[in-house]
PDB file of all heavy atoms in Angstrom:
ATOM      1  N   LEU A   1      -4.240   3.175  14.205  1.00  0.00           N
ATOM      2  CA  LEU A   1      -4.096   1.690  14.079  1.00  0.00           C
ATOM      3  C   LEU A   1      -2.636   1.354  14.314  1.00  0.00           C
ATOM      4  O   LEU A   1      -1.764   1.770  13.594  1.00  0.00           O
ATOM      5  CB  LEU A   1      -4.537   1.217  12.731  1.00  0.00           C
ATOM      6  CG  LEU A   1      -4.302  -0.285  12.489  1.00  0.00           C
ATOM      7  CD1 LEU A   1      -5.237  -1.158  13.407  1.00  0.00           C
ATOM      8  CD2 LEU A   1      -4.569  -0.670  11.019  1.00  0.00           C
ATOM      9  N   GLY A   2      -2.383   0.620  15.389  1.00  0.00           N
ATOM     10  CA  GLY A   2      -1.045   0.144  15.663  1.00  0.00           C
ATOM     11  C   GLY A   2      -0.761  -1.183  15.024  1.00  0.00           C
ATOM     12  O   GLY A   2      -1.604  -2.055  15.079  1.00  0.00           O
ATOM     13  N   ILE A   3       0.436  -1.369  14.422  1.00  0.00           N
ATOM     14  CA  ILE A   3       0.832  -2.614  13.868  1.00  0.00           C
ATOM     15  C   ILE A   3       2.101  -3.003  14.552  1.00  0.00           C
ATOM     16  O   ILE A   3       3.119  -2.297  14.564  1.00  0.00           O
ATOM     17  CB  ILE A   3       1.066  -2.497  12.320  1.00  0.00           C
ATOM     18  CG1 ILE A   3      -0.157  -2.014  11.607  1.00  0.00           C
ATOM     19  CG2 ILE A   3       1.479  -3.829  11.768  1.00  0.00           C
ATOM     20  CD1 ILE A   3       0.000  -1.885  10.104  1.00  0.00           C
ATOM     21  N   VAL A   4       2.054  -4.193  15.201  1.00  0.00           N
ATOM     22  CA  VAL A   4       3.158  -4.591  16.073  1.00  0.00           C
ATOM     23  C   VAL A   4       3.596  -6.036  15.688  1.00  0.00           C
ATOM     24  O   VAL A   4       2.820  -6.842  15.172  1.00  0.00           O
ATOM     25  CB  VAL A   4       2.730  -4.541  17.572  1.00  0.00           C
ATOM     26  CG1 VAL A   4       1.681  -5.574  17.836  1.00  0.00           C
ATOM     27  CG2 VAL A   4       3.898  -4.708  18.481  1.00  0.00           C
ATOM     28  N   GLY A   5       4.866  -6.290  15.948  1.00  0.00           N
ATOM     29  CA  GLY A   5       5.425  -7.658  15.709  1.00  0.00           C
ATOM     30  C   GLY A   5       6.923  -7.576  15.705  1.00  0.00           C
ATOM     31  O   GLY A   5       7.514  -6.495  15.745  1.00  0.00           O
ATOM     32  N   GLU A   6       7.556  -8.732  15.599  1.00  0.00           N
ATOM     33  CA  GLU A   6       9.017  -8.816  15.595  1.00  0.00           C
ATOM     34  C   GLU A   6       9.590  -8.228  14.304  1.00  0.00           C
ATOM     35  O   GLU A   6       8.861  -8.033  13.283  1.00  0.00           O
ATOM     36  CB  GLU A   6       9.465 -10.301  15.710  1.00  0.00           C
ATOM     37  CG  GLU A   6       9.082 -10.965  17.009  1.00  0.00           C
ATOM     38  CD  GLU A   6       9.374 -12.454  16.988  1.00  0.00           C
ATOM     39  OE1 GLU A   6       8.537 -13.193  16.482  1.00  0.00           O
ATOM     40  OE2 GLU A   6      10.419 -12.856  17.517  1.00  0.00           O
ATOM     41  N   SER A   7      10.895  -7.927  14.324  1.00  0.00           N
ATOM     42  CA  SER A   7      11.517  -7.457  13.136  1.00  0.00           C
ATOM     43  C   SER A   7      11.397  -8.491  12.005  1.00  0.00           C
ATOM     44  O   SER A   7      11.599  -9.694  12.239  1.00  0.00           O
ATOM     45  CB  SER A   7      13.022  -7.229  13.402  1.00  0.00           C
ATOM     46  OG  SER A   7      13.192  -6.187  14.377  1.00  0.00           O
ATOM     47  N   GLY A   8      11.068  -8.020  10.795  1.00  0.00           N
ATOM     48  CA  GLY A   8      10.938  -8.874   9.649  1.00  0.00           C
ATOM     49  C   GLY A   8       9.566  -9.502   9.512  1.00  0.00           C
ATOM     50  O   GLY A   8       9.346 -10.358   8.638  1.00  0.00           O
ATOM     51  N   CYS A   9       8.585  -9.050  10.334  1.00  0.00           N
ATOM     52  CA  CYS A   9       7.252  -9.703  10.274  1.00  0.00           C
ATOM     53  C   CYS A   9       6.384  -9.080   9.166  1.00  0.00           C
ATOM     54  O   CYS A   9       5.288  -9.594   8.849  1.00  0.00           O
ATOM     55  CB  CYS A   9       6.551  -9.560  11.616  1.00  0.00           C
ATOM     56  SG  CYS A   9       5.963  -7.898  11.997  1.00  0.00           S
ATOM     57  N   GLY A  10       6.855  -8.013   8.520  1.00  0.00           N
ATOM     58  CA  GLY A  10       6.100  -7.395   7.437  1.00  0.00           C
ATOM     59  C   GLY A  10       5.400  -6.075   7.773  1.00  0.00           C
ATOM     60  O   GLY A  10       4.649  -5.531   6.950  1.00  0.00           O
ATOM     61  N   LYS A  11       5.673  -5.534   8.943  1.00  0.00           N
ATOM     62  CA  LYS A  11       5.040  -4.248   9.347  1.00  0.00           C
ATOM     63  C   LYS A  11       5.341  -3.118   8.381  1.00  0.00           C
ATOM     64  O   LYS A  11       4.417  -2.478   7.861  1.00  0.00           O
ATOM     65  CB  LYS A  11       5.514  -3.849  10.764  1.00  0.00           C
ATOM     66  CG  LYS A  11       5.343  -4.883  11.867  1.00  0.00           C
ATOM     67  CD  LYS A  11       5.758  -4.303  13.197  1.00  0.00           C
ATOM     68  CE  LYS A  11       7.190  -3.893  13.310  1.00  0.00           C
ATOM     69  NZ  LYS A  11       8.204  -4.930  13.194  1.00  0.00           N
ATOM     70  N   SER A  12       6.634  -2.871   8.200  1.00  0.00           N
ATOM     71  CA  SER A  12       7.032  -1.748   7.324  1.00  0.00           C
ATOM     72  C   SER A  12       6.643  -1.939   5.884  1.00  0.00           C
ATOM     73  O   SER A  12       6.294  -1.027   5.174  1.00  0.00           O
ATOM     74  CB  SER A  12       8.509  -1.497   7.477  1.00  0.00           C
ATOM     75  OG  SER A  12       8.846  -1.058   8.773  1.00  0.00           O
ATOM     76  N   THR A  13       6.712  -3.239   5.411  1.00  0.00           N
ATOM     77  CA  THR A  13       6.310  -3.522   4.038  1.00  0.00           C
ATOM     78  C   THR A  13       4.799  -3.217   3.847  1.00  0.00           C
ATOM     79  O   THR A  13       4.404  -2.670   2.824  1.00  0.00           O
ATOM     80  CB  THR A  13       6.593  -4.972   3.707  1.00  0.00           C
ATOM     81  OG1 THR A  13       7.972  -5.255   3.863  1.00  0.00           O
ATOM     82  CG2 THR A  13       6.191  -5.307   2.281  1.00  0.00           C
ATOM     83  N   THR A  14       3.990  -3.567   4.849  1.00  0.00           N
ATOM     84  CA  THR A  14       2.576  -3.275   4.794  1.00  0.00           C
ATOM     85  C   THR A  14       2.332  -1.750   4.701  1.00  0.00           C
ATOM     86  O   THR A  14       1.498  -1.329   3.931  1.00  0.00           O
ATOM     87  CB  THR A  14       1.848  -3.864   6.025  1.00  0.00           C
ATOM     88  OG1 THR A  14       2.027  -5.289   6.050  1.00  0.00           O
ATOM     89  CG2 THR A  14       0.381  -3.514   5.987  1.00  0.00           C
ATOM     90  N   ALA A  15       3.106  -1.026   5.487  1.00  0.00           N
ATOM     91  CA  ALA A  15       2.956   0.420   5.477  1.00  0.00           C
ATOM     92  C   ALA A  15       3.315   1.033   4.118  1.00  0.00           C
ATOM     93  O   ALA A  15       2.603   1.931   3.609  1.00  0.00           O
ATOM     94  CB  ALA A  15       3.880   1.052   6.552  1.00  0.00           C
ATOM     95  N   ARG A  16       4.385   0.535   3.512  1.00  0.00           N
ATOM     96  CA  ARG A  16       4.775   1.053   2.229  1.00  0.00           C
ATOM     97  C   ARG A  16       3.796   0.639   1.096  1.00  0.00           C
ATOM     98  O   ARG A  16       3.650   1.348   0.117  1.00  0.00           O
ATOM     99  CB  ARG A  16       6.193   0.569   1.917  1.00  0.00           C
ATOM    100  CG  ARG A  16       7.243   1.388   2.707  1.00  0.00           C
ATOM    101  CD  ARG A  16       8.625   0.686   2.762  1.00  0.00           C
ATOM    102  NE  ARG A  16       9.615   1.561   3.319  1.00  0.00           N
ATOM    103  CZ  ARG A  16       9.730   1.908   4.583  1.00  0.00           C
ATOM    104  NH1 ARG A  16       8.854   1.407   5.452  1.00  0.00           N
ATOM    105  NH2 ARG A  16      10.661   2.752   5.028  1.00  0.00           N
ATOM    106  N   LEU A  17       3.180  -0.465   1.303  1.00  0.00           N
ATOM    107  CA  LEU A  17       2.141  -0.901   0.316  1.00  0.00           C
ATOM    108  C   LEU A  17       0.922   0.012   0.435  1.00  0.00           C
ATOM    109  O   LEU A  17       0.331   0.407  -0.572  1.00  0.00           O
ATOM    110  CB  LEU A  17       1.737  -2.328   0.579  1.00  0.00           C
ATOM    111  CG  LEU A  17       2.745  -3.433   0.189  1.00  0.00           C
ATOM    112  CD1 LEU A  17       2.344  -4.788   0.787  1.00  0.00           C
ATOM    113  CD2 LEU A  17       2.870  -3.529  -1.311  1.00  0.00           C
ATOM    114  N   ILE A  18       0.555   0.381   1.660  1.00  0.00           N
ATOM    115  CA  ILE A  18      -0.591   1.274   1.861  1.00  0.00           C
ATOM    116  C   ILE A  18      -0.345   2.602   1.181  1.00  0.00           C
ATOM    117  O   ILE A  18      -1.267   3.221   0.552  1.00  0.00           O
ATOM    118  CB  ILE A  18      -0.854   1.484   3.388  1.00  0.00           C
ATOM    119  CG1 ILE A  18      -1.295   0.186   4.044  1.00  0.00           C
ATOM    120  CG2 ILE A  18      -1.882   2.607   3.611  1.00  0.00           C
ATOM    121  CD1 ILE A  18      -1.404   0.237   5.554  1.00  0.00           C
ATOM    122  N   LEU A  19       0.873   3.088   1.217  1.00  0.00           N
ATOM    123  CA  LEU A  19       1.260   4.386   0.656  1.00  0.00           C
ATOM    124  C   LEU A  19       1.574   4.248  -0.829  1.00  0.00           C
ATOM    125  O   LEU A  19       1.882   5.246  -1.474  1.00  0.00           O
ATOM    126  CB  LEU A  19       2.440   4.980   1.403  1.00  0.00           C
ATOM    127  CG  LEU A  19       2.197   5.383   2.835  1.00  0.00           C
ATOM    128  CD1 LEU A  19       3.523   5.857   3.439  1.00  0.00           C
ATOM    129  CD2 LEU A  19       1.152   6.442   2.933  1.00  0.00           C
ATOM    130  N   ARG A  20       1.529   3.007  -1.355  1.00  0.00           N
ATOM    131  CA  ARG A  20       1.905   2.712  -2.745  1.00  0.00           C
ATOM    132  C   ARG A  20       3.362   3.111  -3.034  1.00  0.00           C
ATOM    133  O   ARG A  20       3.680   3.479  -4.142  1.00  0.00           O
ATOM    134  CB  ARG A  20       0.922   3.366  -3.687  1.00  0.00           C
ATOM    135  CG  ARG A  20      -0.408   2.598  -3.939  1.00  0.00           C
ATOM    136  CD  ARG A  20      -0.181   1.260  -4.544  1.00  0.00           C
ATOM    137  NE  ARG A  20       0.737   1.204  -5.652  1.00  0.00           N
ATOM    138  CZ  ARG A  20       0.444   1.563  -6.916  1.00  0.00           C
ATOM    139  NH1 ARG A  20      -0.798   1.826  -7.212  1.00  0.00           N
ATOM    140  NH2 ARG A  20       1.347   1.504  -7.837  1.00  0.00           N
ATOM    141  N   LEU A  21       4.203   3.023  -2.054  1.00  0.00           N
ATOM    142  CA  LEU A  21       5.671   3.136  -2.310  1.00  0.00           C
ATOM    143  C   LEU A  21       6.191   1.808  -2.844  1.00  0.00           C
ATOM    144  O   LEU A  21       7.258   1.793  -3.385  1.00  0.00           O
ATOM    145  CB  LEU A  21       6.357   3.501  -0.981  1.00  0.00           C
ATOM    146  CG  LEU A  21       5.972   4.856  -0.374  1.00  0.00           C
ATOM    147  CD1 LEU A  21       6.764   5.053   0.928  1.00  0.00           C
ATOM    148  CD2 LEU A  21       6.276   5.996  -1.311  1.00  0.00           C
ATOM    149  N   LEU A  22       5.402   0.740  -2.630  1.00  0.00           N
ATOM    150  CA  LEU A  22       5.641  -0.558  -3.213  1.00  0.00           C
ATOM    151  C   LEU A  22       4.387  -1.012  -3.948  1.00  0.00           C
ATOM    152  O   LEU A  22       3.305  -0.670  -3.546  1.00  0.00           O
ATOM    153  CB  LEU A  22       6.011  -1.605  -2.121  1.00  0.00           C
ATOM    154  CG  LEU A  22       7.317  -1.447  -1.379  1.00  0.00           C
ATOM    155  CD1 LEU A  22       7.409  -2.462  -0.264  1.00  0.00           C
ATOM    156  CD2 LEU A  22       8.524  -1.580  -2.301  1.00  0.00           C
ATOM    157  N   ASP A  23       4.564  -1.744  -5.019  1.00  0.00           N
ATOM    158  CA  ASP A  23       3.399  -2.317  -5.725  1.00  0.00           C
ATOM    159  C   ASP A  23       3.055  -3.663  -5.180  1.00  0.00           C
ATOM    160  O   ASP A  23       3.981  -4.494  -5.027  1.00  0.00           O
ATOM    161  CB  ASP A  23       3.734  -2.451  -7.222  1.00  0.00           C
ATOM    162  CG  ASP A  23       3.950  -1.073  -7.907  1.00  0.00           C
ATOM    163  OD1 ASP A  23       3.293  -0.133  -7.426  1.00  0.00           O
ATOM    164  OD2 ASP A  23       4.727  -0.984  -8.807  1.00  0.00           O
ATOM    165  N   PRO A  24       1.833  -3.883  -4.839  1.00  0.00           N
ATOM    166  CA  PRO A  24       1.444  -5.220  -4.314  1.00  0.00           C
ATOM    167  C   PRO A  24       1.513  -6.316  -5.355  1.00  0.00           C
ATOM    168  O   PRO A  24       1.295  -6.049  -6.559  1.00  0.00           O
ATOM    169  CB  PRO A  24       0.013  -4.986  -3.796  1.00  0.00           C
ATOM    170  CG  PRO A  24      -0.489  -3.860  -4.626  1.00  0.00           C
ATOM    171  CD  PRO A  24       0.678  -2.974  -4.915  1.00  0.00           C
ATOM    172  N   THR A  25       1.793  -7.509  -4.933  1.00  0.00           N
ATOM    173  CA  THR A  25       1.729  -8.683  -5.813  1.00  0.00           C
ATOM    174  C   THR A  25       0.274  -9.006  -6.142  1.00  0.00           C
ATOM    175  O   THR A  25      -0.045  -9.273  -7.311  1.00  0.00           O
ATOM    176  CB  THR A  25       2.391  -9.887  -5.143  1.00  0.00           C
ATOM    177  OG1 THR A  25       3.734  -9.573  -4.815  1.00  0.00           O
ATOM    178  CG2 THR A  25       2.403 -11.097  -6.060  1.00  0.00           C
ATOM    179  N   SER A  26      -0.603  -8.905  -5.188  1.00  0.00           N
ATOM    180  CA  SER A  26      -2.032  -9.057  -5.441  1.00  0.00           C
ATOM    181  C   SER A  26      -2.816  -8.412  -4.284  1.00  0.00           C
ATOM    182  O   SER A  26      -2.184  -7.986  -3.280  1.00  0.00           O
ATOM    183  CB  SER A  26      -2.387 -10.538  -5.558  1.00  0.00           C
ATOM    184  OG  SER A  26      -2.150 -11.225  -4.365  1.00  0.00           O
ATOM    185  N   GLY A  27      -4.100  -8.369  -4.426  1.00  0.00           N
ATOM    186  CA  GLY A  27      -4.949  -7.739  -3.404  1.00  0.00           C
ATOM    187  C   GLY A  27      -5.314  -6.301  -3.767  1.00  0.00           C
ATOM    188  O   GLY A  27      -4.865  -5.811  -4.845  1.00  0.00           O
ATOM    189  N   THR A  28      -6.122  -5.660  -2.934  1.00  0.00           N
ATOM    190  CA  THR A  28      -6.587  -4.316  -3.245  1.00  0.00           C
ATOM    191  C   THR A  28      -6.350  -3.404  -2.059  1.00  0.00           C
ATOM    192  O   THR A  28      -6.478  -3.780  -0.907  1.00  0.00           O
ATOM    193  CB  THR A  28      -8.058  -4.262  -3.620  1.00  0.00           C
ATOM    194  OG1 THR A  28      -8.823  -4.831  -2.545  1.00  0.00           O
ATOM    195  CG2 THR A  28      -8.347  -5.123  -4.858  1.00  0.00           C
ATOM    196  N   ILE A  29      -6.144  -2.114  -2.332  1.00  0.00           N
ATOM    197  CA  ILE A  29      -6.026  -1.057  -1.366  1.00  0.00           C
ATOM    198  C   ILE A  29      -6.966   0.068  -1.771  1.00  0.00           C
ATOM    199  O   ILE A  29      -6.810   0.586  -2.881  1.00  0.00           O
ATOM    200  CB  ILE A  29      -4.600  -0.500  -1.259  1.00  0.00           C
ATOM    201  CG1 ILE A  29      -3.596  -1.629  -0.958  1.00  0.00           C
ATOM    202  CG2 ILE A  29      -4.489   0.583  -0.178  1.00  0.00           C
ATOM    203  CD1 ILE A  29      -2.157  -1.257  -1.244  1.00  0.00           C
ATOM    204  N   THR A  30      -7.933   0.364  -0.949  1.00  0.00           N
ATOM    205  CA  THR A  30      -8.898   1.429  -1.238  1.00  0.00           C
ATOM    206  C   THR A  30      -8.677   2.626  -0.293  1.00  0.00           C
ATOM    207  O   THR A  30      -8.673   2.407   0.924  1.00  0.00           O
ATOM    208  CB  THR A  30     -10.338   0.908  -1.120  1.00  0.00           C
ATOM    209  OG1 THR A  30     -10.509  -0.247  -1.955  1.00  0.00           O
ATOM    210  CG2 THR A  30     -11.335   1.952  -1.522  1.00  0.00           C
ATOM    211  N   PHE A  31      -8.465   3.776  -0.847  1.00  0.00           N
ATOM    212  CA  PHE A  31      -8.313   4.976  -0.057  1.00  0.00           C
ATOM    213  C   PHE A  31      -9.468   5.944  -0.323  1.00  0.00           C
ATOM    214  O   PHE A  31      -9.666   6.350  -1.465  1.00  0.00           O
ATOM    215  CB  PHE A  31      -6.986   5.706  -0.396  1.00  0.00           C
ATOM    216  CG  PHE A  31      -6.702   6.916   0.407  1.00  0.00           C
ATOM    217  CD1 PHE A  31      -6.084   6.834   1.659  1.00  0.00           C
ATOM    218  CD2 PHE A  31      -7.096   8.175  -0.029  1.00  0.00           C
ATOM    219  CE1 PHE A  31      -5.811   7.954   2.402  1.00  0.00           C
ATOM    220  CE2 PHE A  31      -6.823   9.320   0.735  1.00  0.00           C
ATOM    221  CZ  PHE A  31      -6.194   9.194   1.985  1.00  0.00           C
ATOM    222  N   ASP A  32     -10.213   6.188   0.713  1.00  0.00           N
ATOM    223  CA  ASP A  32     -11.422   7.080   0.626  1.00  0.00           C
ATOM    224  C   ASP A  32     -12.350   6.639  -0.477  1.00  0.00           C
ATOM    225  O   ASP A  32     -12.849   7.462  -1.257  1.00  0.00           O
ATOM    226  CB  ASP A  32     -10.935   8.510   0.447  1.00  0.00           C
ATOM    227  CG  ASP A  32     -12.045   9.540   0.723  1.00  0.00           C
ATOM    228  OD1 ASP A  32     -12.982   9.161   1.469  1.00  0.00           O
ATOM    229  OD2 ASP A  32     -11.952  10.684   0.209  1.00  0.00           O
ATOM    230  N   GLY A  33     -12.551   5.318  -0.554  1.00  0.00           N
ATOM    231  CA  GLY A  33     -13.510   4.782  -1.547  1.00  0.00           C
ATOM    232  C   GLY A  33     -12.905   4.561  -2.953  1.00  0.00           C
ATOM    233  O   GLY A  33     -13.638   4.048  -3.803  1.00  0.00           O
ATOM    234  N   ARG A  34     -11.651   4.911  -3.175  1.00  0.00           N
ATOM    235  CA  ARG A  34     -11.053   4.747  -4.488  1.00  0.00           C
ATOM    236  C   ARG A  34     -10.016   3.699  -4.438  1.00  0.00           C
ATOM    237  O   ARG A  34      -9.079   3.736  -3.614  1.00  0.00           O
ATOM    238  CB  ARG A  34     -10.464   6.102  -4.944  1.00  0.00           C
ATOM    239  CG  ARG A  34      -9.841   6.063  -6.328  1.00  0.00           C
ATOM    240  CD  ARG A  34      -9.209   7.403  -6.613  1.00  0.00           C
ATOM    241  NE  ARG A  34      -8.644   7.441  -7.997  1.00  0.00           N
ATOM    242  CZ  ARG A  34      -7.892   8.473  -8.457  1.00  0.00           C
ATOM    243  NH1 ARG A  34      -7.631   9.494  -7.699  1.00  0.00           N
ATOM    244  NH2 ARG A  34      -7.432   8.389  -9.692  1.00  0.00           N
ATOM    245  N   ASP A  35     -10.079   2.763  -5.378  1.00  0.00           N
ATOM    246  CA  ASP A  35      -9.086   1.713  -5.485  1.00  0.00           C
ATOM    247  C   ASP A  35      -7.768   2.295  -6.059  1.00  0.00           C
ATOM    248  O   ASP A  35      -7.754   2.753  -7.201  1.00  0.00           O
ATOM    249  CB  ASP A  35      -9.590   0.581  -6.375  1.00  0.00           C
ATOM    250  CG  ASP A  35      -8.664  -0.618  -6.421  1.00  0.00           C
ATOM    251  OD1 ASP A  35      -7.547  -0.562  -5.873  1.00  0.00           O
ATOM    252  OD2 ASP A  35      -9.021  -1.675  -7.000  1.00  0.00           O
ATOM    253  N   ILE A  36      -6.721   2.290  -5.228  1.00  0.00           N
ATOM    254  CA  ILE A  36      -5.442   2.865  -5.682  1.00  0.00           C
ATOM    255  C   ILE A  36      -4.427   1.846  -6.019  1.00  0.00           C
ATOM    256  O   ILE A  36      -3.273   2.140  -6.326  1.00  0.00           O
ATOM    257  CB  ILE A  36      -4.881   3.802  -4.581  1.00  0.00           C
ATOM    258  CG1 ILE A  36      -4.482   3.007  -3.317  1.00  0.00           C
ATOM    259  CG2 ILE A  36      -5.868   4.905  -4.252  1.00  0.00           C
ATOM    260  CD1 ILE A  36      -3.694   3.845  -2.308  1.00  0.00           C
ATOM    261  N   THR A  37      -4.829   0.556  -6.095  1.00  0.00           N
ATOM    262  CA  THR A  37      -3.883  -0.543  -6.198  1.00  0.00           C
ATOM    263  C   THR A  37      -3.069  -0.454  -7.506  1.00  0.00           C
ATOM    264  O   THR A  37      -1.894  -0.725  -7.519  1.00  0.00           O
ATOM    265  CB  THR A  37      -4.632  -1.876  -6.187  1.00  0.00           C
ATOM    266  OG1 THR A  37      -5.534  -1.882  -5.090  1.00  0.00           O
ATOM    267  CG2 THR A  37      -3.623  -3.032  -6.024  1.00  0.00           C
ATOM    268  N   LYS A  38      -3.778  -0.077  -8.631  1.00  0.00           N
ATOM    269  CA  LYS A  38      -3.146  -0.113  -9.875  1.00  0.00           C
ATOM    270  C   LYS A  38      -2.921   1.258 -10.517  1.00  0.00           C
ATOM    271  O   LYS A  38      -2.684   1.366 -11.748  1.00  0.00           O
ATOM    272  CB  LYS A  38      -3.934  -1.001 -10.854  1.00  0.00           C
ATOM    273  CG  LYS A  38      -3.957  -2.485 -10.392  1.00  0.00           C
ATOM    274  CD  LYS A  38      -4.744  -3.379 -11.294  1.00  0.00           C
ATOM    275  CE  LYS A  38      -4.766  -4.822 -10.863  1.00  0.00           C
ATOM    276  NZ  LYS A  38      -5.541  -5.686 -11.719  1.00  0.00           N
ATOM    277  N   LEU A  39      -3.050   2.277  -9.717  1.00  0.00           N
ATOM    278  CA  LEU A  39      -2.840   3.628 -10.234  1.00  0.00           C
ATOM    279  C   LEU A  39      -1.368   3.826 -10.668  1.00  0.00           C
ATOM    280  O   LEU A  39      -0.459   3.329 -10.009  1.00  0.00           O
ATOM    281  CB  LEU A  39      -3.251   4.693  -9.216  1.00  0.00           C
ATOM    282  CG  LEU A  39      -4.697   4.764  -8.798  1.00  0.00           C
ATOM    283  CD1 LEU A  39      -4.902   5.940  -7.807  1.00  0.00           C
ATOM    284  CD2 LEU A  39      -5.646   4.880  -9.976  1.00  0.00           C
ATOM    285  N   SER A  40      -1.185   4.569 -11.746  1.00  0.00           N
ATOM    286  CA  SER A  40       0.172   4.917 -12.175  1.00  0.00           C
ATOM    287  C   SER A  40       0.797   5.953 -11.249  1.00  0.00           C
ATOM    288  O   SER A  40       0.077   6.563 -10.442  1.00  0.00           O
ATOM    289  CB  SER A  40       0.175   5.435 -13.621  1.00  0.00           C
ATOM    290  OG  SER A  40      -0.509   6.693 -13.658  1.00  0.00           O
ATOM    291  N   GLN A  41       2.088   6.200 -11.376  1.00  0.00           N
ATOM    292  CA  GLN A  41       2.697   7.235 -10.551  1.00  0.00           C
ATOM    293  C   GLN A  41       2.124   8.575 -10.825  1.00  0.00           C
ATOM    294  O   GLN A  41       1.987   9.433  -9.886  1.00  0.00           O
ATOM    295  CB  GLN A  41       4.248   7.206 -10.801  1.00  0.00           C
ATOM    296  CG  GLN A  41       4.949   5.980 -10.257  1.00  0.00           C
ATOM    297  CD  GLN A  41       4.721   5.781  -8.741  1.00  0.00           C
ATOM    298  OE1 GLN A  41       4.854   6.702  -7.981  1.00  0.00           O
ATOM    299  NE2 GLN A  41       4.366   4.556  -8.361  1.00  0.00           N
ATOM    300  N   ARG A  42       1.790   8.870 -12.049  1.00  0.00           N
ATOM    301  CA  ARG A  42       1.184  10.153 -12.359  1.00  0.00           C
ATOM    302  C   ARG A  42      -0.195  10.298 -11.684  1.00  0.00           C
ATOM    303  O   ARG A  42      -0.576  11.376 -11.165  1.00  0.00           O
ATOM    304  CB  ARG A  42       1.011  10.333 -13.872  1.00  0.00           C
ATOM    305  CG  ARG A  42       0.302  11.567 -14.287  1.00  0.00           C
ATOM    306  CD  ARG A  42       0.245  11.717 -15.807  1.00  0.00           C
ATOM    307  NE  ARG A  42       1.575  11.979 -16.343  1.00  0.00           N
ATOM    308  CZ  ARG A  42       1.825  12.186 -17.641  1.00  0.00           C
ATOM    309  NH1 ARG A  42       0.823  12.145 -18.542  1.00  0.00           N
ATOM    310  NH2 ARG A  42       3.072  12.397 -18.060  1.00  0.00           N
ATOM    311  N   GLU A  43      -1.000   9.220 -11.711  1.00  0.00           N
ATOM    312  CA  GLU A  43      -2.270   9.244 -11.051  1.00  0.00           C
ATOM    313  C   GLU A  43      -2.200   9.306  -9.538  1.00  0.00           C
ATOM    314  O   GLU A  43      -3.079   9.840  -8.869  1.00  0.00           O
ATOM    315  CB  GLU A  43      -3.116   8.018 -11.502  1.00  0.00           C
ATOM    316  CG  GLU A  43      -3.506   7.975 -12.931  1.00  0.00           C
ATOM    317  CD  GLU A  43      -4.087   6.644 -13.369  1.00  0.00           C
ATOM    318  OE1 GLU A  43      -3.589   5.596 -12.955  1.00  0.00           O
ATOM    319  OE2 GLU A  43      -5.058   6.631 -14.146  1.00  0.00           O
TER     320      GLU A  43
END
C-alpha cells in the first residue's frame, strides 16, 4: 500500500500510528484481527 502526498500531509504520522510508535487521539487499529489501539508497551 503506497501512501503519497506533500510534505506535512500526515504520511509518516499515519505510519507511526500503525506501528503504535505514537498513540492515536481516537480511532482503532486492528492487526491480524486484534485491536492494538490501547495496548500497553508491555503488551
